[in-house]
Amino acid sequence: MTNQELLEIINLAKKNQISVESLKRILKLMEIDGAIPAHQTFRIKLLITSGKMKDKVLLSLLEQVYQKGCSNWQNVLLLDNHPILKEYLKENGSNLNKKVWGMILDFVNIMPLDERLERFYVKELSFRINNLSIEELDFFHKVLRSSMNTPLLYSTWYLPFFLDRKRTCKNRNLLLGILKTSLFGFGLTIDEQEIKAKKIIHCFDLYGEEFASVYGSAIKVVDNLEIPRVTSEEEIDIYIELFTLISYVYMVKETAVKNFLTSFYYSLATNNEIDTQQRLEFVRNLSDINLILKDSLVKQLWNTYLDKGIEGMKVLKYAFLNKGIKTNLLCKNFLEQETSVEVLKLAREVFRKNRVRKDEEALCILNDLKTPAEKIEFLHFLDNKYPDINPKEEENRAIKEQELLNAYQAFLNNQIGLAKLEESLYSSEDLTINLIRKKKHNGRV
């Protein structure tokens, strides 16, 4: 610090009515090996202009934490907004070490002006500060940071539960994260939060983190969703798939959740009389929002799975996801009735062609054929019959490409949901184009 800088600081102190004693304390505080470097000079000016150095308590607390080497020492000034905590630290601050001071000042930096929270914090802090290890005291602050905007924090069981060292710190951390994601910030009443939080915790104890996490996401949108009773790892995996789908269905269309819970798909997946491994394989390979709510299609896919196995079911699924195939009765009937997976795979490829789907006479012939060999031969004939794209199809293809590009851009611009984009993609499987979002002249999209 130069003599000119000191003169400037003195004038600032006078202007801000800082006492000579306080000025001396600030100057001594900011010394490093007897000198005050440039960055410290800047800090002195900020402290003076803040006007808070006239407060002897704040200045005393500032000296304590600065001398202990706390990097967040400036947060002491925020204590002016929290008089209850400030008074507590005035009486007890000298007994705190650097790490504890650092935790408190980090929390002060985010603590809102909320007298109830402040009183709660001081009460709990004073009760626990001498009983918890540094690690547990840090977790105590983490619980507060995660929960301070929710009424659940003030429940008599909530904080003691998370500070119960009978549970591992890892599990408490995991549960806190699940509750924060599932419950906090969604406008739930204290009773709703209590019920759902206890269900999630019970679910965690029964089936572990992954199950509890997806259950928490599902119970966020389905109030009365009970914890299922499961007896095997495969059954757990089925419910993980279903609960994940509940959240996905809600994102796509809120009102569809009720339909999903009463759908053939859901009842099939949770039917304990059906082989567990079969149900798991089926739901893992059929999670498309455009199909799972359509009972008639799911029934056909399930029957196909039973008759032709998972590969046959997947071929039919992809065919149903192609709007052009699904809405063509001749193509749809052929696929539903066919028993050969080899024929199904070839038929799906050939049916992608628009001109094949328009050739009703040929499709009628195909439907009348009996043996797989005859069908394969005829499908190759159809594939070769329409090898090139005629001018009209070229025009239609260009339109479809533009529609797909528009859908992609609309999805990225939050104008349509993921389900609509998927529908466009499945309906355009016969196309191969680069999806590029068109940018405006100013470089924005």
Side-chain angles (χ1 to χ4, degrees):
M1 177 178 65
T2 66
N3 56 322
Q4 290 91 347
E5 287 171 332
L6 177 58
L7 183 60
E8 184 181 353
I9 287 170
I10 292 171
N11 288 331
L12 270 178
K14 289 180 179 178
K15 182 179 178 180
N16 288 274
Q17 299 179 331
I18 303 296
S19 69
V20 175
E21 178 193 353
S22 295
L23 178 60
K24 287 179 182 178
R25 290 170 70 179
I26 294 171
L27 291 171
K28 290 178 181 178
L29 185 66
M30 293 297 165
E31 284 182 351
I32 297 177
D33 295 331
I36 300 177
H39 71 278
Q40 296 291 76
T41 302
F42 177 71
R43 286 177 172 177
I44 292 171
K45 292 177 182 178
L46 287 178
L47 287 172
I48 291 173
T49 54
S50 73
K52 294 184 178 181
M53 289 301 92
K54 289 180 282 187
D55 187 322
K56 294 294 189 292
V57 175
L58 283 181
L59 183 55
S60 176
L61 292 174
L62 183 67
E63 287 174 326
Q64 288 182 44
V65 299
Y66 186 86
Q67 288 166 353
K68 288 178 180 178
C70 289
S71 60
N72 52 357
W73 58 269
Q74 290 119 315
N75 291 349
V76 166
L77 303 182
L78 300 175
L79 289 171
D80 206 29
N81 301 320
H82 306 287
I84 301 169
L85 179 57
K86 177 181 168 185
E87 184 63 25
Y88 171 79
L89 293 172
K90 172 187 173 184
E91 300 298 326
N92 300 278
S94 60
N95 299 322
L96 306 180
N97 63 34
K98 174 183 174 180
K99 289 184 178 179
V100 176
W101 261 114
M103 293 177 199
I104 294 171
L105 293 178
D106 278 342
F107 186 67
V108 167
N109 191 45
I110 62 169
M111 188 163 62
L113 301 180
D114 183 337
E115 185 177 337
R116 183 189 184 192
L117 175 63
E118 186 179 354
R119 288 188 182 280
F120 179 80
Y121 176 55
V122 171
K123 175 188 171 184
E124 295 295 335
L125 181 67
S126 60
F127 175 66
R128 301 178 188 283
I129 200 163
N130 295 318
N131 300 322
L132 297 179
S133 65
I134 290 295
E135 292 75 17
E136 288 294 326
L137 194 61
D138 187 40
F139 186 68
F140 161 74
H141 282 90
K142 182 176 182 178
V143 175
L144 291 177
R145 287 195 300 272
S146 298
S147 318
M148 65 181 174
N149 293 320
T150 171
L152 194 62
L153 176 63
Y154 304 105
S155 296
T156 54
W157 65 273
Y158 183 77
L159 195 57
F161 171 83
F162 277 106
L163 296 179
D164 183 359
R165 279 168 283 185
K166 293 177 183 176
R167 289 179 175 268
T168 66
C169 189
K170 177 183 177 181
N171 282 352
R172 285 181 282 149
N173 260 304
L174 291 172
L175 265 172
L176 182 62
I178 293 171
L179 293 187
K180 183 177 180 180
T181 302
S182 305
L183 302 180
F184 302 161
F186 294 98
L188 299 175
T189 66
I190 179 60
D191 289 339
E192 290 171 332
Q193 285 193 344
E194 289 257 10
I195 293 169
K196 293 188 176 187
K198 288 180 178 179
K199 280 186 173 183
I200 291 170
I201 291 169
H202 184 49
C203 191
F204 184 94
D205 289 340
L206 288 174
Y207 307 123
E209 176 198 356
E210 186 179 6
F211 195 105
S213 181
V214 294
Y215 175 75
S217 297
I219 203 175
K220 182 167 58 181
V221 299
V222 182
D223 290 333
N224 58 348
L225 187 65
E226 295 301 325
I227 302 171
R229 294 182 179 180
V230 298
T231 56
S232 67
E233 288 296 324
E234 290 84 1
E235 199 78 26
I236 288 175
D237 290 340
I238 288 173
Y239 277 99
I240 287 174
E241 296 286 339
L242 292 176
F243 291 158
T244 302
L245 276 174
I246 287 174
S247 302
Y248 180 39
V249 170
Y250 181 81
M251 285 190 295
V252 174
K253 189 178 180 181
E254 292 181 26
T255 55
V257 173
K258 184 177 180 181
N259 294 335
F260 177 67
L261 294 173
T262 58
S263 68
F264 175 79
Y265 179 91
Y266 196 88
S267 63
L268 169 69
T270 56
N271 187 345
N272 291 327
E273 295 181 2
I274 300 174
D275 180 75
T276 307
Q277 192 59 47
Q278 283 186 320
R279 287 183 284 135
L280 177 58
E281 186 175 46
F282 186 72
V283 298
R284 274 185 171 166
N285 287 278
L286 180 61
S287 57
D288 306 84
I289 193 69
N290 294 303
L291 296 178
I292 59 175
L293 294 174
K294 296 174 181 174
D295 289 353
S296 61
L297 295 182
V298 175
K299 288 176 183 177
Q300 292 172 20
L301 289 164
W302 174 246
N303 289 331
T304 301
Y305 170 70
L306 294 178
D307 291 341
K308 306 163 195 171
I310 193 62
E311 289 305 314
M313 188 279 279
K314 286 163 71 174
V315 173
L316 190 59
K317 176 189 77 169
Y318 290 127
F320 283 167
L321 287 168
N322 185 304
K323 188 176 181 181
I325 298 175
K326 182 174 64 178
T327 56
N328 186 300
L329 288 178
L330 290 170
C331 292
K332 187 169 177 287
N333 288 340
F334 178 82
L335 291 168
E336 290 172 356
Q337 295 170 15
E338 181 52 46
T339 58
S340 166
V341 175
E342 183 183 1
V343 174
L344 280 173
K345 288 182 177 180
L346 178 59
R348 179 188 165 230
E349 294 297 322
V350 176
F351 288 169
R352 286 178 178 179
K353 293 186 176 182
N354 188 42
R355 286 193 290 166
V356 169
R357 296 198 303 269
K358 288 183 177 181
D359 192 338
E360 293 186 8
E361 182 180 353
L363 292 175
C364 286
I365 295 172
L366 177 64
N367 274 274
D368 289 336
L369 297 176
K370 302 302 181 185
T371 68
E374 290 175 324
K375 295 169 186 176
I376 289 172
E377 182 181 0
F378 195 77
L379 283 167
H380 282 304
F381 163 74
L382 283 178
D383 195 27
N384 294 326
K385 183 179 178 181
Y386 302 104
D388 302 316
I389 300 176
N390 62 29
K392 182 62 178 175
E393 283 224 336
E394 188 70 54
E395 181 183 344
N396 290 337
R397 184 185 182 92
I399 292 172
K400 285 181 68 176
E401 287 182 351
Q402 189 57 53
E403 287 175 347
L404 181 55
L405 289 171
N406 291 343
Y408 176 62
Q409 181 134 336
F411 170 72
L412 294 178
N413 292 338
N414 299 318
Q415 295 168 337
I416 64 170
L418 181 60
K420 284 290 185 184
L421 176 62
E422 286 181 313
E423 186 176 330
S424 294
L425 290 168
Y426 283 123
S427 296
S428 307
E429 284 184 297
D430 54 326
L431 303 178
T432 301
I433 63 173
N434 289 323
L435 294 174
I436 301 173
R437 186 155 55 143
K438 186 178 179 181
K439 294 187 177 182
K440 297 179 180 179
H441 294 303
N442 60 5
R444 295 182 179 179
V445 292

